[in-house]
Amino acid sequence: MTKKRNGLPRLPHLLGIEGLAPDTVSGLLDLSESYIGQNRSLDKRRDLLTGRTVINLFFENSTRTRTSFEVAAKRLGADVINMEVASSSVRKGETLLDTAMTLNAMLPDTLVVRHHESGAVNLLAQKMKCAVINAGDGQHEHPTQALLDALTIRRRRGKLEGLLVAICGDILHSRVARSNIHLLNIMGARVRVVGPPTLMPTDVDRMGVEVHFNMRTGLKDVDIVMMLRLQTERMQGTYVPSISEYFRFFGLDQEKLKVAKPDALIMHPGPMNRGVEIDSEVADDLDRSVIHEQVEMGVAVRMACLEALIGTRRNAPPDLTTGALL
Ligand code: CP
């Protein structure tokens, strides 16, 4: 079952989960798994990426993703540069592409990018000579989040296939939901999306999911409850009558959770808004909440992604003719 490290197909970039083969997803999860022990040991550092340079370029705020990419790269021995967008020449009007091409000229090995526009990271990857990892683009994809969620579930349940997963809340604005839907479908899980009609994408019927507009039916007998934040930074206008009304109908609390399987896992990608989409009693329920485990798995997943992209590539330029897997 466990793949050899070199059993993965070479990845020129990691731009999304959509289109990945089940073997590639399993291979990345297996490779991530191999880093968990290292991360829990006293000596966390390896020299796999010694001499390699990873640049974090985040145009949107981040705590988990940016920090864990830095931790992951450093644990593999890479040099890491965190570009401060707020104090960069972006503030003088330099475009995304010019910024990226400038960094490209410094010959990094990987550029990790978060951007508020869907598709911006894919566009940039076409111009870069190094590997590009999408750390979240607009409402489109957040591939490493879906991988870390899958790793968390697989370790707790031993599999992904056949599980019933409810993704709840602001589906419309969520790149986490999109990447998770792709990954769970690829790996044979069943996915429900649960939320108010105003927060459902218009093309939700084509996403391979069951759609529920209330938590009572949406959470019935599910194995996994994945809660999402209201992403107000991507909202134009009003999508819910009030926060208290939203919490009453769609906030996860012990009462709503009663219809899920008794051992259902509670997940949240963070950052959480307590009392909005999730009650503290549920978020901090040590028997069922795996929210901190998700963060831990995030480091292992990002180490695996860095290894898959640049760990075995000794100064060989990536094939830039395609964004697909080689
Ligand atoms: N889950 C996630 O992407 O969190 P950050 O915004 O803190 O990176």
Side-chain angles (χ1 to χ4, degrees), residues 7 12 59 97 166 221 240 272 276 291:
F59 290 85
L97 272 183
D221 298 328
V240 295
M272 275 188 286
V276 181
I291 293 168

Side-chain angles (χ1 to χ4, degrees), residues 58 60-68 114 135-136 142 144-145 148-149 175-176 229 233 268-271 294-295 302:
F58 279 56
E60 270 189 351
N61 294 342
S62 170
T63 297
R64 281 146 286 267
T65 313
R66 199 201 61 74
T67 310
S68 61
R114 172 171 285 189
H142 191 349
T144 55
Q145 180 68 46
L148 76 87
D149 290 340
R175 55 197 177 207
V176 173
R229 180 175 65 88
E233 72 276 21
H268 195 305
Q294 288 173 264
V295 178
R302 284 154 187 143

Side-chain angles (χ1 to χ4, degrees), residues 70-262:
E70 181 175 358
V71 170
K74 285 183 170 167
R75 283 189 184 163
L76 293 174
D79 298 314
V80 184
I81 284 88
N82 295 308
M83 219 191 96
E84 299 298 335
V85 170
S87 58
S88 74
S89 289
V90 170
R91 291 288 174 260
K92 299 178 194 163
E94 191 162 48
T95 65
L96 169 67
L97 272 183
D98 285 335
T99 302
M101 295 309 289
T102 301
L103 297 175
N104 193 43
M106 297 177 199
L107 303 179
D109 297 280
T110 303
L111 193 60
V112 180
V113 188
R114 172 171 285 189
H115 198 274
H116 43 272
E117 294 290 347
S118 303
V121 185
N122 294 47
L123 178 72
L124 193 149
Q126 292 167 24
K127 307 283 181 191
M128 298 293 290
K129 288 211 172 82
C130 68
V132 175
I133 300 180
N134 182 0
D137 65 320
Q139 303 173 192
H140 177 224
E141 282 237 32
H142 191 349
T144 55
Q145 180 68 46
L147 286 165
L148 76 87
D149 290 340
L151 183 63
T152 308
I153 297 171
R154 200 180 75 164
R155 283 174 59 78
R156 286 289 188 135
R157 291 290 174 264
K159 62 175 186 178
L160 294 167
E161 189 175 1
L163 293 179
L164 184 53
V165 181
I167 305 177
C168 310
D170 182 0
I171 311 295
L172 175 64
H173 300 101
S174 177
R175 55 197 177 207
V176 173
R178 272 176 190 71
S179 287
N180 265 301
I181 290 167
H182 288 309
L183 189 148
L184 291 165
N185 278 333
I186 289 166
M187 301 308 286
R190 286 171 55 206
V191 185
R192 287 181 185 162
V193 290
V194 189
T198 49
L199 292 174
M200 287 292 170
T202 49
D203 62 346
V204 69
D205 292 334
R206 296 200 296 271
M207 294 171 90
V209 295
E210 270 178 47
V211 184
H212 290 260
F213 297 120
N214 73 74
M215 295 286 267
R216 194 173 29 80
T217 63
L219 296 192
K220 181 124 183 55
D221 298 328
V222 298
D223 299 282
I224 312 288
V225 184
M226 207 179 269
M227 297 308 297
L228 300 172
R229 180 175 65 88
L230 284 176
Q231 286 134 105
T232 48
E233 72 276 21
R234 286 196 267 283
M235 291 183 186
Q236 289 168 335
T238 308
Y239 288 80
V240 295
S242 70
I243 294 302
S244 58
E245 190 93 333
Y246 182 77
F247 181 72
R248 190 151 72 89
F249 288 103
F250 293 100
L252 186 68
D253 55 19
Q254 295 289 11
E255 185 58 34
K256 295 190 189 79
L257 201 51
K258 279 182 183 162
V259 296
K261 283 196 177 150

